[in-house]
Amino acid sequence: MERRVVVVGAGISGLLACKHLVEKGFDPVVFEADDRVGGVWNHTIQSTKLQNAKEGFRFSDFDWPASLQEKFPSHSEVLDYVESYAQHFNLYPCIKLHSRVISIDYVGESFGEMKTWDLWGGTGTAFSSRGKWHITVLDTETNAAEVHQAEFVILCIGRFSGLPNIPELPPNYCSEVFDGKVMHSMEYSDMEKSAAAELIKGKRITIIGSQKSAVDLAVECAEANGIKYPCVMIQRNPHWLLPDNGFLMSLLGYLYFNRFAELLLHKPGQNILYWLLATVFSPLSWGISKFWEIYLQWKLPLKKYGLVPRHSFLEDMSSCQIGMLPDKFYDKVEEGSILIKRSQSFRFCKEGLIVDGEDKPISSDLVMLATGYKGDQKLKNIFRSSVFQEYLVSLPTATIPLYRQVIHPRIPQLAVIGYAEGLANLPAFEIRCQWLVHFLDGIIKLPSIGAMEKDAARWETHMKRYGARNFWRSCIGTTNIWYNDQLCKDMNCNPRRKKGFLAEWFQPYGPTDYAGLADQKH
């Protein structure tokens, strides 16, 4: 039986999947729509920097260059690092650039037959003698389409690109009534540096959004136009954002990213002892969250500008909503080159935007929508089968049910890397890729479909408990070590990665702790 594997996307998760596949003796083909590797790092605005300290955002077996002194590298430095990884491990021969995957279609067993399966794919193994995926690929240079076949597909298409989330408004209040220009932050980040600078220069700009892309855009616009044309930010739900400070990131690690910190939280599949400990220690978890809220309100003028979030710091941590403030953000607010307005809704008018409680419009030449992406819809759209589409996105109140955040129990011979988030995505994607290639190589045996669905449901309940209204982000943040433990056990690797009792329980876990899992068995 052939074991052809296709990887869709050459971002960080796609490169990791490719590298670990090659190490296991596979000969993968990676289709990438862009003209270079790097994924979302090819589509960021000029001022964006890495939100994690570089020590926590690295490949386990490939360090940052010694010449790079910046603790939070720029987006171009991150892109250089990712490209160096692909070059170092000789991944380029596997990668086909300018190749956009339009759709994938499973050809083999009927859906009626698949519904009778007790085991994933009918056998519980990665490859089936009957099933194949047909992958339709568009060459973006020649505009010619070609269908490829593979026994296994790994989707590494990311959720923060490609399909922007555009707010829906009534016809009388939508962007068509506005005389100026409206664009999503995705369009702006795709522009050349000089064209982007020309676009915003001398413009009255309004930005809708409160997350990382919104604050980065605001600073970029404020630096271009100053107080003469202040940038207006409309925020519905502010989030807890950290100052650019290495000490704070280290402190965050000791309070959230070690085993003791995870004892304070209830975890999916925990035994009665862990449940009791989490229940007893829950006031301490609440206290740590309050400490950060009080500190940030002391450190930053959040109350002055009405930017104190209504939710807890723990909720943002648990839903991967914690971000880094760009340099001098509040300096720009203080000088008046950034103006902030809180509003639960807005509507367009001829002159610009009207927000809650104000009759006078915000006069604008350009409105930028930093309103995120429809990651679930993007994933759904790549499937030709309406049945598989329904499996992925069945209800708006549910996450995409992925076993180990990698495999859908009802979709055979396919894996998804990069949909579920982490507070540091690179190391999170790497251990999932290691787990996946162990499965592809026959080392890991999956439980029954019913057991996988039950496990996925437990993780969804956990995300709803701590991530609250943002559970849909499928974040594995504050219970990352517990999650990684399950993957290590599946791979028959020791989940305890530190040397010594104190280090194991109180030292933050990082990417290098999970290096070389294939060589470190029980």
Side-chain angles (χ1 to χ4, degrees), residues 193-395:
K193 180 181 178 182
S194 57
E198 182 66 26
L199 174 70
I200 63 176
K201 187 67 177 175
K203 300 283 199 320
R204 298 169 299 174
I205 299 171
T206 300
I207 297 171
I208 297 168
S210 56
Q211 270 287 33
K212 177 63 176 171
S213 58
V215 292
D216 282 352
L217 277 170
V219 169
E220 205 158 291
C221 294
E223 287 179 344
N225 296 320
I227 60 175
K228 182 178 180 181
Y229 298 108
C231 173
V232 180
M233 290 188 73
I234 299 175
Q235 297 197 14
R236 183 174 63 177
N237 295 308
H239 291 276
W240 297 101
L241 299 175
L242 301 173
D244 184 345
N245 185 301
F247 171 75
L248 286 182
M249 295 303 292
S250 299
L251 182 60
L252 203 66
Y254 280 98
L255 292 178
Y256 281 105
F257 304 143
N258 57 40
R259 286 195 182 276
F260 179 76
E262 291 196 3
L263 282 181
L264 315 185
L265 303 173
H266 292 282
K267 297 167 284 292
Q270 65 189 354
N271 60 32
I272 186 65
L273 176 60
Y274 279 115
W275 183 87
L276 287 171
L277 286 171
T279 302
V280 170
F281 284 136
S282 58
L284 180 55
S285 175
W286 176 87
I288 292 172
S289 180
K290 277 297 174 187
F291 160 77
W292 281 101
E293 293 165 28
I294 292 168
Y295 172 79
L296 291 174
Q297 290 183 66
W298 169 75
K299 182 72 174 177
L300 304 171
L302 301 182
K303 288 184 178 178
K304 180 177 179 181
Y305 295 104
L307 293 179
V308 179
R310 297 188 180 96
H311 55 272
S312 69
F313 185 85
L314 176 60
E315 183 178 319
D316 267 355
M317 285 288 294
S318 300
S319 56
C320 295
Q321 299 265 55
I322 291 293
M324 299 291 294
L325 283 167
D327 294 338
K328 301 178 181 179
F329 175 78
Y330 279 105
D331 291 345
K332 302 294 183 186
V333 177
E334 292 278 3
E335 75 180 14
S337 57
I338 296 177
L339 306 177
I340 298 173
K341 293 183 179 290
R342 289 284 301 274
S343 178
Q344 289 301 301
S345 64
F346 67 90
R347 65 182 188 269
F348 284 95
C349 62
K350 184 179 177 65
E351 298 86 357
L353 292 168
I354 298 176
V355 298
D356 292 343
E358 295 188 14
D359 296 324
K360 185 179 179 182
I362 302 169
S363 297
S364 309
D365 302 307
L366 172 63
V367 174
M368 291 204 199
L369 303 173
T371 48
Y373 297 84
K374 295 181 177 180
D376 54 350
Q377 193 68 38
K378 178 185 176 183
L379 186 61
K380 174 181 176 179
N381 289 349
I382 203 168
F383 289 88
R384 186 167 292 177
S385 163
S386 60
V387 175
F388 286 164
Q389 289 181 346
E390 181 67 18
Y391 284 163
L392 284 167
V393 185
S394 57
L395 295 170

Side-chain angles (χ1 to χ4, degrees), residues 83-129:
E83 290 180 322
S84 296
Y85 175 83
Q87 189 72 43
H88 178 78
F89 289 104
N90 195 31
L91 303 183
Y92 280 103
C94 301
I95 301 168
K96 295 184 180 297
L97 301 173
H98 305 285
S99 300
R100 182 184 304 281
V101 173
I102 300 172
S103 66
I104 60 174
D105 192 31
Y106 184 73
V107 178
E109 295 85 351
S110 68
F111 290 114
E113 183 178 348
M114 284 191 270
K115 287 180 180 179
T116 67
W117 289 345
D118 180 57
L119 295 175
W120 189 75
T123 62
T125 59
F127 298 96
S128 165
S129 59

Side-chain angles (χ1 to χ4, degrees), residues 5-36:
V5 180
V6 160
V7 179
V8 182
I12 287 174
S13 57
L15 294 176
L16 282 163
C18 180
K19 184 257 188 183
H20 288 286
L21 283 165
V22 170
E23 284 186 341
K24 281 289 185 181
F26 291 90
D27 186 20
V29 177
V30 183
F31 292 117
E32 170 55 52
D34 279 341
D35 59 357
R36 65 191 297 189

Side-chain angles (χ1 to χ4, degrees), residues 23-95:
E23 284 186 341
K24 281 289 185 181
F26 291 90
D27 186 20
V29 177
V30 183
F31 292 117
E32 170 55 52
D34 279 341
D35 59 357
R36 65 191 297 189
V37 303
V40 71
W41 289 101
N42 280 313
H43 305 280
T44 55
I45 67 173
Q46 194 63 29
S47 59
T48 295
K49 299 171 72 172
L50 185 64
Q51 296 195 72
N52 307 91
K54 64 183 180 183
E55 295 81 9
F57 190 94
R58 54 159 290 183
F59 300 101
S60 66
D61 52 2
F62 188 72
D63 202 355
W64 290 87
S67 59
L68 181 62
Q69 300 299 312
E70 182 68 42
K71 195 170 187 67
F72 301 97
S74 69
H75 83 282
S76 59
E77 289 168 330
V78 176
L79 194 54
D80 288 343
Y81 174 58
V82 172
E83 290 180 322
S84 296
Y85 175 83
Q87 189 72 43
H88 178 78
F89 289 104
N90 195 31
L91 303 183
Y92 280 103
C94 301
I95 301 168

